[in-house]
Amino acid sequence: MEDGRETAAMREQKRKDRQIGSELISQNNKALETGDSDIGVCGWILVLFSILLTLLTLPLSIWMCIKIVKEYERAIIFRLGRILRGGAKGPGLFFILPCTDSFINVDMRTITFDIPPQEVLTKDSVTVSVDGVVYYRVQNATLAVANITNADAATRLLAQTTLRNVLGTKNLAEILSDREEIAHSMQSTLDDATDDWGIKVERVEIKDVKLPLQLQRAMAAEAEATREARAKVIAAEGEMNASRALKEASLVIAESPSALQLRYLQTLNTIAAEKNSTIIFPLPIDMMQSFMKH
């Protein structure tokens, strides 16, 4: 009982820690997006000096101040090392100061990459090789620049580890049949993990699941044996139904002796229609017994 209470208390404490951590991250992200214009007295002096230098060197300096970003790009401007208030700029024209400002272009288009084949040990101790593809895009350019060194490389590595972790909790049958569920689980996990980097994971797909050759042969033999057993059962059921039909037909013929003669004539008609050169006439057994007595 006490162990259960301690476990519940630990879970509650972990939940509170995660909530506090998410609040701190949210505040940090908000601060990055809004920017901080407090660059100090020396900073403002350098900015004023840069503006004065730009005005003195007009119109040549105008070509160093005007920058253009494309429709699918955003520019993050750093002024004296701080992100400029207002967040990302673009698309279109924007202005920078030549001496104090620098900028980084961020591509906002959807990016795809293949997850290299991963050797995974499933829950039922089967080694499989699984690969996939991930579709993601930069949702917040400011966070993608300020919170991580290389968002693309980090997302690729995280996708590989997430694929291993998710498949390690699944059986082989679940991996082969529940690909959509696995892909959705990976997508939600990656999306939550990359949210602080300004990355939006749009889609994850499992491309191929490669099994060892011995396991493929064993599964093929099992499937073949199952099909053969099912075929034998179907054949036995067909024979049983046919025997029942023959029994019913024999009862009908036994009630009317002329029915057997009509059936005999119908059989002769069928044989003659096939243009056979030999026709076999069956003789009644009673007639043969009378000859044997003589």
Side-chain angles (χ1 to χ4, degrees):
M1 190 68 179
E2 293 180 356
D3 295 339
R5 292 179 180 176
E6 290 179 358
T7 304
M10 291 175 63
R11 291 178 179 175
E12 183 67 20
Q13 184 64 31
K14 289 181 179 179
R15 187 185 65 82
K16 291 181 179 179
D17 293 341
R18 286 195 298 266
Q19 184 176 1
I20 293 173
S22 62
E23 291 177 356
L24 292 175
I25 292 174
S26 178
Q27 293 176 1
N28 186 25
N29 294 341
K30 188 180 294 185
L32 287 174
E33 292 175 358
T34 57
D36 187 6
S37 60
D38 187 12
I39 57 177
V41 178
C42 295
W44 281 113
I45 292 174
L46 292 175
V47 170
L48 293 175
F49 177 76
S50 179
I51 295 174
L52 180 60
L53 182 62
T54 302
L55 294 176
L56 292 175
T57 57
L58 284 174
L60 297 177
S61 61
I62 194 66
W63 302 108
M64 301 178 62
C65 297
I66 297 178
K67 301 297 179 181
I68 300 175
V69 291
K70 299 177 183 178
E71 182 68 29
Y72 54 84
E73 292 179 339
R74 297 296 182 271
I76 307 300
I77 302 176
F78 292 89
R79 177 162 293 170
L80 297 177
R82 292 178 177 269
I83 295 179
L84 195 63
R85 181 181 294 274
K89 305 295 182 182
L93 291 171
F94 66 94
F95 297 88
I96 64 172
L97 296 178
C99 298
T100 59
D101 294 355
S102 61
F103 69 97
I104 298 176
N105 284 338
V106 180
D107 196 334
M108 306 294 288
R109 293 176 293 182
T110 299
I111 301 173
T112 63
F113 67 88
D114 293 329
I115 303 176
Q118 303 293 312
E119 295 288 339
V120 181
L121 184 65
T122 62
K123 190 176 181 180
D124 50 353
S125 301
V126 178
T127 303
V128 295
S129 178
V130 185
D131 59 354
V133 60
V134 178
Y135 301 82
Y136 77 95
R137 60 181 175 85
V138 177
Q139 188 175 20
N140 191 317
T142 304
L143 299 181
V145 172
N147 282 359
I148 191 166
T149 304
N150 191 335
D152 180 72
T155 305
R156 292 173 184 268
L157 294 176
L158 185 61
Q160 296 178 22
T161 56
T162 303
L163 179 63
R164 288 176 174 271
N165 294 336
V166 172
L167 295 182
T169 61
K170 302 291 184 179
N171 296 326
L172 178 60
E174 295 175 348
I175 294 175
L176 296 176
S177 60
D178 299 336
R179 293 193 180 187
E180 293 184 0
E181 181 182 353
I182 294 173
H184 180 71
S185 176
M186 285 187 58
Q187 188 267 335
S188 60
T189 303
L190 285 173
D191 195 20
D192 293 339
T194 58
D195 188 35
D196 298 331
W197 304 340
I199 301 296
K200 173 65 178 177
V201 179
E202 297 178 340
R203 191 178 183 87
V204 178
E205 292 292 341
I206 303 298
K207 292 176 61 178
D208 190 16
V209 179
K210 296 181 180 179
L211 304 177
L213 292 178
Q214 295 180 354
L215 183 59
Q216 293 180 15
R217 293 171 183 171
M219 294 178 66
E222 181 182 1
E224 184 178 359
T226 303
R227 288 193 297 268
E228 289 180 356
R230 191 178 302 171
K232 290 180 180 179
V233 171
I234 294 174
E237 291 178 354
E239 292 178 358
M240 181 177 63
N241 295 332
S243 62
R244 290 177 180 175
L246 290 174
K247 179 182 178 182
E248 294 176 359
S250 64
L251 293 177
V252 173
I253 292 175
E255 294 176 358
S256 176
S258 61
L260 182 60
Q261 186 67 21
L262 292 175
R263 180 60 181 167
Y264 167 66
L265 295 175
Q266 184 180 2
T267 303
L268 290 178
N269 186 24
T270 304
I271 295 174
E274 296 179 358
K275 298 180 180 180
N276 292 325
S277 59
T278 302
I279 298 177
I280 299 175
F281 292 93
L283 295 176
I285 298 178
D286 297 338
M287 182 181 296
M288 297 297 297
Q289 289 180 354
S290 61
F291 280 109
M292 291 175 65
K293 290 180 180 180
H294 292 291

